[in-house]
Amino acid sequence: MLFTLKKIIGGLLLPLPLSLIILGVGLLLLWCSHRQRLAKILLTGGWGLLLLLSLQPVADGLLTPFENQYPTLNHPPRVAAIVVLGGGYTYNPEWAPSSNLLGNSLPRVAEGVRQWRMNPTAELIFTGAAASDNSRSSASVAAEVAQTLGVPKDKLITLTSPRDTHQEALAVRQLIGNKPFILVTSANHLPRAIRFFTAEQLSPIPAPANQLAIHSPLNFWERILPSSFWLGHSERAWYESLGRAWQWVTQR
């Protein structure tokens, strides 16, 4: 129940839902009350928030501090395990396997496979529970994709019970103890994940995937026009900020 409540509240606090809530309250006050000044403030604030977070300089400016904490792992040490954290997924057996990995999941799996190719004696461990009681787990769907990319089945391990990063750290500790291992997750999520894993006395070696903040040259109009693409970058930064706040509260 607490997990579901956390996800619902966290979802409502993300940029788009939060902006819509602010705009909705403003419209309600505008049409159904005499508090016109407050209505104007809320409408202007909600519109301004949505506009700013949809611009590339703002969005990638927010995301960069999360992503720049760990460099890409191009020369990994020899380890016995590579752990890839779960992300968004669905499952349709009629689709190409990789199409079932949503958002940040496919880049994580791709980086996990790349790390395994540099460490082919290691076991590749995927984490992530099922979205519902009668569905496949995130870990099993990711492992299927890895197998189609050439990883032998006997090198794949799935941890199908963890529902969040803290639970993933507990499950990995139970499986491999404090032996060093490569930890693969999205670059913006990696700082928070490392904190969870080191809090459990584990020895993760960070391997960021799915870097999003763009620093290469862009057309001028791409920087000044609002876009849902950039709003998605702001959402990732916002989500990680909320996650860190919750982590700080629960780990005190």
Side-chain angles (χ1 to χ4, degrees):
M1 181 64 182
L2 179 61
F3 176 83
T4 303
L5 184 62
K6 179 181 72 171
K7 290 297 183 182
I8 292 173
I9 293 175
L12 290 174
L13 292 177
L14 292 176
L16 181 57
L18 181 61
S19 298
L20 291 175
I21 290 171
I22 294 171
L23 290 170
V25 174
L27 287 171
L28 185 66
L29 293 175
L30 182 66
W31 288 100
C32 302
S33 79
H34 298 293
R35 306 185 70 176
Q36 301 296 292
R37 180 177 175 82
L38 179 57
K40 292 176 182 178
I41 291 173
L42 290 174
L43 288 171
T44 303
W47 179 86
L49 179 65
L50 196 57
L51 172 64
L52 287 174
L53 295 178
S54 300
L55 298 175
Q56 187 272 333
V58 175
D60 286 350
L62 292 172
L63 194 56
T64 296
F66 292 97
E67 295 195 340
N68 280 2
Q69 294 191 33
Y70 298 103
T72 300
L73 186 62
N74 287 323
H75 304 286
R78 289 293 172 188
V79 294
I82 300 163
V83 176
V84 181
L85 300 188
Y89 83 107
T90 186
Y91 184 69
N92 185 334
E94 301 300 321
W95 290 1
S98 61
S99 296
N100 288 306
L101 297 178
L102 307 178
N104 54 28
S105 294
L106 184 56
R108 293 182 187 184
V109 172
E111 179 61 16
V113 172
R114 188 178 81 94
Q115 293 296 329
W116 178 83
R117 292 193 182 281
M118 293 186 284
N119 261 302
T121 60
E123 293 178 319
L124 189 54
I125 302 169
F126 293 98
T127 69
S132 61
D133 293 338
N134 59 351
S135 65
R136 288 186 55 177
S137 67
S138 169
S140 69
V141 174
E144 179 181 338
V145 174
Q147 193 172 355
T148 66
L149 296 176
V151 182
K153 190 174 182 178
D154 63 359
K155 290 294 183 181
L156 297 171
I157 296 176
T158 58
L159 301 177
T160 61
S161 61
R163 302 177 68 192
D164 59 23
T165 311
H166 182 214
Q167 292 180 13
E168 288 172 320
L170 295 174
V172 170
R173 183 184 66 181
Q174 187 173 6
L175 180 66
I176 66 175
N178 61 0
K179 298 176 183 176
F181 63 95
I182 293 172
L183 179 63
V184 179
T185 188
S186 301
N188 56 72
H189 177 241
L190 192 54
R192 186 159 59 97
I194 289 291
R195 183 172 176 181
F196 273 121
F197 278 77
T198 54
E200 299 301 327
Q201 318 306 303
L202 294 168
S203 305
I205 300 166
N210 195 33
Q211 289 90 341
L212 297 173
I214 296 175
H215 302 287
S216 56
L218 290 170
N219 293 317
F220 175 70
W221 59 267
E222 290 179 293
R223 294 184 179 275
I224 63 171
L225 289 180
S227 167
S228 60
F229 182 78
W230 307 124
L231 181 62
H233 288 195
S234 291
E235 182 179 283
R236 290 308 311 167
W238 202 294
Y239 181 89
E240 283 305 313
S241 296
L242 291 173
R244 285 193 179 190
W246 179 254
Q247 186 180 49
W248 181 80
V249 169
T250 56
Q251 287 192 342
R252 290 186 67 184

